[in-house]
């Protein structure tokens, strides 16, 4: 199987990836990957497919291109949803954009999109303890989250130190689009 690097070099992509305001770099997060497969919706080989969750009764076999997600055609044609919900109050238009026009991300439990300042936050990616060193406020938020599980303090600290972007438990990092505050939640199986 070719590597992502060699695959992306061999594909001819005539269009720039669409912009996703609530998921600014889906290539970096792994929610969009280079692919030579044909999109189930537009039936075109566009060089990329989305790998995040697709909640639908249709068997799409993870074959939706970013363009069909961005323009809403995948949601309209198949009734798909790309996220488990938004954690916070946002306008219906924001909810619709995140749910049906933004690539989601895979999580250990039910994914949740965080909101802040009345808007959905931008998903930045999966992070572990090493990446969270530069976000002490986020670590404190995660500490409060874990403390709510009635764990002794030493268990909470062990949990935070064991967060792993490539394993579990893991954390999901967001940034408020209004005030630039970083947010996160964590989960595990």
């Amino acid at each position: 199987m070719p590597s992502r690097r060699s695959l992306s070099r061999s594909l001819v992509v005539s269009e720039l990836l669409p912009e996703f305001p609530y998921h600014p770099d889906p290539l970096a997060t792994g929610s969009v990957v280079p692919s030579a497969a044909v999109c189930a919706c537009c039936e075109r080989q566009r060089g990329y497919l989305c790998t995040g969750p697709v909640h639908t009764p249709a068997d799409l076999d993870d074959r939706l291109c970013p363009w069909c997600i961005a323009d809403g055609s995948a949601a309209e044609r198949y009734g798909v949803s790309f996220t488990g919900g938004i954690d916070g109050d946002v306008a219906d238009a924001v909810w619709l954009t995140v749910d049906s026009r933004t690539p989601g991300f895979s999580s250990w439990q039910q994914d949740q999109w965080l909101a802040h300042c009345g808007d959905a936050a931008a998903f930045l990616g999966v992070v572990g303890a090493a990446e969270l060193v530069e976000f002490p406020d986020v670590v404190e938020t995660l500490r409060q989250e874990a403390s709510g599980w009635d764990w002794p303090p030493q268990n909470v600290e062990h949990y935070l130190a064991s967060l792993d972007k490539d394993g579990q438990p893991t954390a999901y990092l967001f940034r408020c689009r209004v005030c630039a505050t970083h947010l996160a939640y964590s989960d595990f199986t």
Side-chain angles (χ1 to χ4, degrees):
M1 175 172 209
S3 70
R4 282 186 183 177
R5 177 173 275 161
S6 66
L7 181 61
S8 63
R9 279 192 214 139
S10 67
L11 296 172
V12 176
V13 180
S14 60
E15 302 173 73
L16 293 175
L17 282 172
E19 290 187 27
F20 296 102
Y22 297 101
H23 198 151
D25 196 352
L27 279 170
T29 66
S31 291
V32 171
V33 297
S35 174
V38 172
C39 174
C41 188
C42 68
E43 299 179 355
R44 292 173 58 191
Q45 181 186 21
R46 298 178 97 169
Y48 295 96
L49 289 179
C50 293
T51 63
V54 178
H55 309 287
T56 179
D59 181 17
L60 300 176
D61 200 25
D62 292 330
R63 292 182 301 116
L64 292 175
C65 73
W67 294 269
C68 288
I69 292 174
D71 70 12
S73 58
E76 184 177 322
R77 183 171 181 182
Y78 299 108
V80 301
S81 168
F82 299 104
T83 186
I86 297 178
D87 187 16
D89 291 328
V90 298
D92 289 345
V94 170
W95 183 88
L96 185 62
T97 298
V98 171
D99 189 57
S100 62
R101 292 176 177 248
T102 303
F105 60 92
S106 296
S107 62
W108 291 107
Q109 302 291 326
Q110 179 69 38
D111 55 310
Q112 55 183 314
W113 212 278
L114 299 183
H116 197 263
C117 294
D119 191 14
F123 178 65
L124 302 180
V126 177
V127 294
E131 294 77 23
L132 287 170
V133 168
E134 60 186 277
F135 303 103
D137 291 348
V138 170
V139 173
E140 185 53 36
T141 300
L142 294 172
R143 182 175 286 113
Q144 291 172 8
E145 173 191 55
S147 295
W149 301 332
D150 293 328
W151 288 355
Q154 67 272 15
N155 290 22
V156 170
E157 294 309 312
H158 175 72
Y159 173 78
L160 294 173
S162 67
L163 290 171
D164 182 354
K165 74 175 189 151
D166 297 317
Q168 64 168 313
T170 195
Y172 307 91
L173 184 65
F174 293 80
R175 182 182 58 242
C176 177
R177 292 173 15 99
V178 177
C179 72
T181 296
H182 285 90
L183 315 157
Y185 76 94
S186 66
D187 76 352
F188 54 94
T189 59

